[in-house]
């Protein structure tokens, strides 16, 4: 599920609802699997510790255009470095030929949901 390792042309991504989560999110939410992952395909990444993030933009763009994901939900922590994950998703969405809805869920450092909103 690590974004560097996924194949955007894999059958299970076709027409799916993609959950792009920061590495820390699942450890911060006890109900991550049942509440947020259910019915979605998953890719995880860390915008602070991962290298070669340009590949992330290319892979997400391919998920939008080639796999034709229906939606993208970005789950990030409230810490500043996690904002990079949202920026990567936005760059990929701008680069893609298709338009897909993008939802952002921000998780607090105490494990609470701070906000959940759809981006324009």
């Amino acid at each position: 599920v690590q974004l560097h390792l996924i194949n955007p042309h894999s059958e299970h991504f076709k027409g799916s609802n993609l959950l792009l989560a920061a590495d820390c999110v699942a450890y911060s939410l006890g109900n991550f699997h049942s509440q947020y992952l259910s019915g979605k395909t998953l890719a995880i990444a860390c915008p602070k510790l991962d290298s070669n993030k340009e590949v992330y933009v290319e892979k997400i763009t391919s998920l939008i255009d080639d796999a034709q994901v229906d939606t993208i939900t970005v789950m990030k922590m409230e810490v500043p470095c996690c904002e990079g994950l949202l920026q990567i998703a936005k760059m990929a969405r701008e680069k893609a030929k298709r338009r897909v809805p993008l939802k952002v869920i921000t998780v607090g450092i105490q494990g609470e949901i701070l906000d959940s909103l759809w981006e324009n």
Side-chain angles (χ1 to χ4, degrees):
V1 295
Q2 202 336 302
L3 190 52
H4 270 303
L5 301 176
I6 68 155
N7 178 355
H9 300 284
S10 178
E11 281 297 314
H12 76 277
F13 285 113
K14 291 197 185 297
S16 71
N17 294 300
L18 177 67
L19 175 59
L20 178 59
D23 290 355
C24 302
V25 167
Y27 298 104
S28 301
L29 295 171
N31 63 350
F32 175 77
H33 285 78
S34 61
Q35 183 77 23
Y36 299 99
L37 183 55
S38 181
K40 293 184 173 62
T41 54
L42 176 65
I44 62 170
C46 177
K48 182 175 182 176
L49 300 177
D50 295 349
S51 60
N52 200 9
K53 291 181 253 326
E54 299 79 22
V55 170
Y56 286 169
V57 174
E58 297 303 319
K59 286 196 179 208
I60 297 168
T61 302
S62 181
L63 286 165
I64 295 169
D65 287 338
D66 302 326
Q68 297 193 348
V69 294
D70 286 334
T71 63
I72 299 175
T73 300
V74 175
M75 288 191 78
K76 64 183 187 66
M77 299 298 295
E78 70 175 313
V79 295
C81 54
C82 260
E83 193 63 30
L85 190 59
L86 176 57
Q87 296 311 313
I88 289 167
K90 285 181 174 181
M91 288 181 352
R93 192 171 77 152
E94 287 174 18
K95 189 174 182 180
K97 296 175 185 112
R98 293 178 62 243
R99 242 345 237 167
V100 295
L102 177 65
K103 185 175 188 177
V104 182
I105 301 173
T106 304
V107 180
I109 58 173
Q110 300 299 318
E112 72 281 15
I113 300 299
L114 297 179
D115 52 85
S116 176
L117 47 97
W118 290 95
E119 289 278 320
N120 291 327

